[in-house]
Amino acid sequence: MKLLTINTHAWLEENQDEKMEILAKTIAEKQYDVIAMQEVNQLMNSPVIYDGIRNDNYGWKLLEKLEKYTDTDYYYHWSNSHIGFGKYDEGVAIITKHPIKDEDEFYCTFSQSVRVINARRIVSITLDYEGQEIEFYSCHMNLPNCETEDMGENIQTILKRTKNDNLKFLMGDFNTDAIHNQEAYQNIINQGLFDTYELAEKKDSGITVNKKIDGWATSGSEKRLDYIFSNKKVKVLESKVIFNGENKGVVSDHFGLEVKIEL
């Protein structure tokens, strides 16, 4: 199984169309099973085309580009989390090439209004993968020092959303730097999660941000902010940073993270 997570920083990038082409070509080439995306934006006043998705929804436009490079059919699930940069519906999304058995969307935070930046919505899908039900969650979490939210409680809300023993993958931008804030990172692990980066038999530096970005304006150091966690120990063959200028071109202010898992 191949997984990818990427904070797309949608419509806020220079040369946005060119960067979307890089992402679409790579998805077609790599044939990921599941792709989790964060900051999947659309203008608040654009026409709605389907179930709250507007005609400039980043993920929707990405799917249109994908059609040029592959015959694979993809399924898409998106939900709005909050207002971003004063003009966007800022959401999270999942793309998969497998039929979706079940899907869900919910707030994992105490704040539950699109007008509150700390309100964080989660989208999830359940797949029947080789006879095993597996759940995937696209997550864009608050910083650990958020005054109105508790990271541990937010993660527990996600993990307890379904009352079963399914394998669960929490994928996304956790806004927690494992390199410089070990205490906050360990708090995530203490919720009962395994970091696929740490489990990987082969891995690189894991660095997914190497400059100052929104939310980290005072920190230009290299950071590991993006993760793929699991609620059970799994065999991870490889964890690799992508879209960092060395392994494919840069497409966002975050690099992507891809993992290969043997189930």
Side-chain angles (χ1 to χ4, degrees):
M1 173 182 283
K2 291 192 287 188
L3 307 178
L4 169 70
T5 186
I6 176 73
N7 180 323
T8 63
H9 202 224
W11 306 132
L12 297 163
E13 288 289 309
E14 295 181 0
N15 305 314
Q16 182 72 88
D17 190 68
E18 175 186 331
K19 291 178 178 179
M20 285 183 72
E21 291 284 349
I22 294 171
L23 181 55
K25 287 179 182 178
T26 303
I27 291 172
E29 172 195 338
K30 300 276 190 173
Q31 289 288 300
Y32 299 107
D33 292 282
V34 177
I35 301 140
M37 302 189 299
Q38 304 83 45
E39 289 191 37
V40 183
N41 299 329
Q42 59 183 20
L43 285 170
M44 295 168 62
N45 58 359
S46 296
V48 173
I49 54 175
Y50 171 74
D51 197 24
I53 294 174
R54 301 180 185 275
N55 66 1
D56 62 343
N57 181 281
Y58 177 93
W60 193 264
K61 304 302 287 187
L62 178 63
L63 289 174
E64 290 180 349
K65 288 186 179 295
L66 261 173
E67 292 178 353
K68 299 187 298 183
Y69 303 113
T70 179
D71 293 329
T72 301
D73 291 326
Y74 286 94
Y75 303 86
Y76 182 54
H77 184 37
W78 175 89
S79 184
N80 181 26
S81 189
H82 52 241
I83 297 171
F85 302 92
K87 60 181 180 179
Y88 292 112
D89 293 329
E90 181 181 308
V92 286
I94 293 180
I95 295 174
T96 180
K97 64 178 184 177
H98 301 284
I100 297 174
K101 183 172 184 177
D102 194 13
E103 62 184 22
D104 195 11
E105 54 188 71
F106 59 96
Y107 281 109
C108 72
T109 48
F110 175 78
S111 302
Q112 300 191 0
S113 168
V114 295
R115 299 185 183 280
V116 180
I117 193 68
N118 293 337
R120 300 296 166 131
R121 203 155 174 83
I122 304 295
V123 295
S124 72
I125 62 170
T126 301
L127 301 182
D128 189 340
Y129 184 83
E130 298 182 353
Q132 180 180 183
E133 278 194 6
I134 305 177
E135 300 171 18
F136 302 86
Y137 297 81
S138 182
C139 312
H140 189 191
M141 311 300 282
N142 287 295
L143 274 72
N145 61 358
C146 177
E147 294 182 357
T148 63
E149 302 293 340
D150 181 86
M151 179 73 79
E153 290 180 3
N154 293 167
I155 290 174
Q156 286 300 316
T157 297
I158 299 170
L159 292 174
K160 294 176 180 177
R161 180 68 177 182
T162 55
K163 308 297 183 181
N164 56 47
D165 192 42
N166 286 349
L167 175 60
K168 299 172 171 64
F169 288 100
L170 278 59
M171 309 166 61
D173 175 3
F174 282 75
N175 267 312
T176 299
D177 182 10
I179 298 172
H180 299 102
N181 193 343
Q182 269 289 320
E183 182 179 355
Y185 169 76
Q186 191 60 47
N187 179 46
I188 294 175
I189 298 301
N190 289 347
Q191 305 310 313
L193 294 176
F194 295 89
D195 186 349
T196 56
Y197 174 81
E198 296 296 345
L199 295 176
E201 296 174 1
K202 182 181 179 181
K203 58 189 173 186
D204 54 16
S205 68
I207 301 300
T208 59
V209 173
N210 65 353
K211 62 182 181 180
K212 296 179 180 179
I213 61 172
D214 292 320
W216 296 84
T218 61
S219 174
S221 61
E222 294 182 332
K223 295 172 279 290
R224 190 158 76 90
L225 302 181
D226 302 81
Y227 305 87
I228 296 177
F229 295 110
S230 61
N231 68 329
K232 299 179 182 181
K233 196 170 185 178
V234 293
K235 185 174 183 179
V236 184
L237 302 178
E238 185 174 14
S239 176
K240 183 185 294 186
V241 173
I242 190 169
F243 308 120
N244 60 353
E246 297 177 10
N247 181 20
K248 304 295 184 182
V250 173
V251 301
S252 172
D253 60 349
H254 285 242
F255 305 147
L257 177 67
E258 61 175 15
V259 301
K260 295 179 182 178
I261 297 167
E262 183 177 296
L263 296 176

